[in-house]
């Protein structure tokens, strides 16, 4: 059983505090400084701050800045004996998943939208059939839950969205034999699907964070 701590921060009332940028690793700091979209700047800043908070909460000694490296697909990792982590954000939520094992996490805000055009490109034939037989809210929730599962798996294996999404299909709680766990989290007036993939059966512990 792989225990995954999910650190969840709602940034809807958080300020963009540029004085905290030096706490971030160079790449994330530059992304925050150069971003034109304010919400993206805010998410980038608090992703880095929440990562520091989460690792400290896990008992790690966290230097300033963190020595975060990235693989060729952009997956962040730390090589100095730190626990494994994965970061996601959507809407007003920033989430950091921390685990002893390799981990991938993805979150998506649940919106009343039609995703048929996207579904036709990313779903397997079985998923397409199941999706097309649903209507209204169940149809929307099916798409979002499946999307988060796919993206969490691709973060887990380290390829990101460069992977083949149609081949990444969940069945009986697993993707290509690897367990995937999906749950709904509500914060404020919004709800989100969050999917976690690790190397074994997943036990999640959700930790809501107020300040970082």
């Amino acid at each position: 059983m792989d225990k995954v701590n999910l650190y969840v921060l709602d940034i809807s009332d958080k300020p963009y505090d540029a004085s905290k940028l030096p706490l971030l690793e160079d790449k994330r700091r530059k992304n925050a400084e150069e971003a034109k979209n304010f919400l993206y700047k805010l998410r980038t800043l608090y992703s880095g701050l929440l990562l520091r908070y989460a690792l400290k909460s896990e008992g790690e000694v966290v230097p300033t800045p963190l020595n975060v490296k990235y693989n060729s697909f952009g997956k962040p990792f730390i090589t100095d004996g730190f626990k494994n982590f994965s970061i996601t954000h959507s809407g007003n939520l920033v989430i950091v998943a921390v685990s002893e094992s390799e981990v991938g996490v993805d979150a998506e805000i649940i919106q009343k939208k039609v995703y048929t055009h996207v579904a036709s490109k990313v779903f397997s034939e079985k998923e397409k059939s199941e999706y097309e037989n649903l209507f209204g809210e169940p149809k929307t929730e099916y798409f979002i839950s499946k999307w988060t599962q796919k993206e969490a798996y691709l973060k887990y294996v380290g390829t990101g969205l460069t992977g083949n999404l149609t081949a990444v299909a969940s069945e009986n709680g697993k993707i290509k034999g690897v367990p995937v766990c999906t749950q709904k989290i509500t914060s404020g007036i919004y709800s989100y699907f969050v999917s976690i993939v690790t190397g074994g059966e997943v036990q999640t512990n959700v930790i809501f964070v107020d300040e970082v």
Side-chain angles (χ1 to χ4, degrees):
M1 180 72 70
D2 285 338
K3 180 181 178 182
V4 179
N5 285 334
L6 286 181
Y7 293 85
V8 180
L9 176 68
D10 192 317
I11 61 172
S12 56
D13 62 348
K14 301 299 182 189
Y16 181 76
D17 187 351
S19 69
K20 293 185 177 181
L21 287 172
L23 295 172
L24 309 186
E25 69 271 23
D26 288 345
K27 182 176 180 178
R28 198 176 304 276
R29 175 182 55 78
K30 290 177 181 177
N31 286 344
E33 289 175 335
E34 296 172 0
K36 304 300 182 184
N37 180 278
F38 179 75
L39 180 57
Y40 182 79
K41 290 174 74 74
L42 202 63
R43 288 171 174 170
T44 304
L45 171 63
Y46 282 98
S47 293
L49 296 178
L50 184 60
L51 175 60
R52 293 179 60 85
Y53 177 94
L55 292 175
K56 286 182 179 180
S57 298
E58 297 288 325
E60 305 283 10
V61 177
V62 178
T64 301
L66 273 171
N67 184 24
V68 178
K69 298 180 181 180
Y70 296 82
N71 73 6
S72 59
F73 298 100
K75 179 178 179 175
F77 63 95
I78 302 175
T79 58
D80 303 326
F82 278 65
K83 291 185 178 181
N84 296 282
F85 65 90
S86 183
I87 302 171
T88 187
H89 48 68
S90 179
N92 293 325
L93 284 196
V94 176
I95 299 175
V96 174
V98 182
S99 175
E100 295 287 352
S101 303
E102 194 64 64
V103 61
V105 65
D106 187 62
E108 296 293 338
I109 191 170
I110 300 173
Q111 303 182 74
K112 295 180 179 179
K113 294 174 63 176
V114 177
Y115 297 91
T116 303
H117 180 66
V118 180
S120 66
K121 296 182 177 180
V122 303
F123 277 174
S124 67
E125 291 303 318
K126 181 179 180 181
E127 288 172 332
K128 286 178 188 177
S129 176
E130 292 173 345
Y131 177 73
E132 289 167 358
N133 286 323
L134 295 172
F135 301 92
E137 186 174 338
K139 190 181 189 82
T140 298
E141 293 199 350
Y142 181 91
F143 176 87
I144 297 172
S145 63
K146 290 292 184 180
W147 176 270
T148 62
Q149 290 169 7
K150 291 170 183 285
E151 190 159 350
Y153 177 82
L154 293 173
K155 287 184 176 181
Y156 163 76
V157 297
T159 62
L161 291 178
T162 58
N164 181 2
L165 289 173
T166 61
V168 181
S170 62
E171 189 169 354
N172 299 321
K174 293 184 177 182
I175 298 176
K176 297 187 176 182
V178 182
V180 56
C181 170
T182 302
Q183 62 191 92
K184 185 183 289 186
I185 291 178
T186 299
S187 183
I189 63 173
Y190 300 106
S191 292
Y192 305 75
F193 275 126
V194 181
S195 289
I196 306 101
V197 176
T198 67
E201 297 297 331
V202 187
Q203 176 187 346
T204 60
N205 179 34
V206 180
I207 303 166
F208 287 95
V209 178
D210 294 322
E211 298 293 336
V212 290

